[in-house]
Amino acid sequence: MAGTLSTGRGAPAAAASRAQLELAVENADGVRLAAAVGAARVELCAALAETEGITPSIGMTEQACRVGLPVHVLVRPRPGNFAYSSDELDVIERDVSAALAAGAAGVVVGVLAPDGGPDVPALRRIVAAAGRSNPAAEITFHRAFDAALAAGADPADALARLQQAGVDRVLTSGGSPDCAAGLVMLGRLVELGRTYAPTVQIMAGGGVTLGLVPSLLGLGVHAVHTSARQRWVAVPVRTG
């Protein structure tokens, strides 16, 4: 199936074979590259190297969406932490609506509450804004989730908050600098998600290489996220 990754092995592979590949890109050329390697969708960002990603312009969003692959737009108004003022939240809501109006299939956001966990009221506002623009839009919570885990947030509670807020997917390295270091927690998140966030997909991202993919798929993650700057040559990826 286009856009999926597979280990090509037995029962665990049956679930893993449904895992999708997502690439982080900065422009329409990146979307074309993602399509060429069989990615299911892209995350469109600006200034990845300089800021780890901020909101791209509407012009860039419109151009990327014309390529034809589903585009999920990062909505992050500034670099730095993920605690936002009321004015910044207003900007996020407006940018979410604008990105979806420009043709995006979804948005990627992350807001943390004063206690360090995902901010449910703020996320519900964002989800509602997205729904008004496109009821089918998908909402991904980005690696602000890892900042929450690194600060001591309970993973079960953090996942439950995403479920309560109506988020569709969480991008995470298991609270570690990269997925290789976070494998144990990623496996735990997959297990916890079945109870505390049954409709939230777990997408592994952060330092992902082709060699790491079989281990990630073996955990049962729903998707794998990497940068278009990585050397991905083809999907599905098979081992053994």
Side-chain angles (χ1 to χ4, degrees):
M1 182 183 297
T4 63
L5 297 158
S6 175
T7 63
R9 292 178 182 170
S17 66
R18 296 190 295 270
Q20 295 184 317
L21 172 64
E22 175 181 289
L23 293 190
V25 305
E26 295 185 275
N27 51 41
D29 283 342
V31 184
R32 294 183 189 100
L33 171 62
V37 301
R41 59 180 174 268
V42 300
E43 178 189 2
L44 182 69
C45 316
L48 267 172
E50 301 85 357
T51 68
E52 297 186 337
I54 55 175
T55 310
S57 72
I58 289 301
M60 186 63 71
T61 299
E62 291 174 343
Q63 188 177 74
C65 290
R66 285 199 293 268
V67 174
L69 198 66
V71 173
H72 290 212
V73 175
L74 174 66
V75 178
R76 184 186 180 204
R78 56 160 173 79
N81 65 38
F82 306 105
Y84 295 110
S85 68
S86 58
D87 283 346
E88 287 174 323
L89 282 173
D90 182 64
V91 169
I92 290 172
E93 288 185 61
R94 291 172 181 270
D95 282 347
V96 162
S97 298
L100 294 172
V107 291
V108 183
V109 298
V111 186
L112 298 182
D115 68 357
D119 188 330
V120 174
L123 288 169
R124 283 177 171 165
R125 283 177 53 186
I126 294 167
V127 170
R132 288 191 293 271
S133 295
N134 178 3
E138 295 184 358
I139 312 296
T140 299
F141 193 92
H142 58 50
R143 290 186 64 196
F145 191 82
D146 292 324
L149 294 185
D154 177 73
D157 178 68
L159 286 171
R161 292 190 191 193
L162 299 186
Q163 177 79 26
Q164 293 162 19
V167 168
D168 297 292
R169 183 179 299 108
V170 58
L171 171 63
T172 176
S173 60
S176 297
D178 57 48
C179 287
L183 279 175
V184 172
M185 178 56 79
L186 282 166
R188 186 179 176 201
L189 290 171
V190 170
E191 292 295 326
L192 289 171
R194 296 188 180 113
T195 299
Y196 295 95
T199 67
V200 177
Q201 297 179 16
I202 307 297
M203 178 163 61
V208 174
T209 62
L210 277 173
L212 188 60
V213 168
S215 295
L216 294 172
L217 298 186
L219 298 175
V221 300
H222 301 90
V224 173
H225 169 105
T226 189
S227 168
R229 293 171 295 183
Q230 304 276 356
R231 296 184 64 186
W232 289 78
V233 293
V235 289
V237 175
R238 303 183 183 277
T239 63

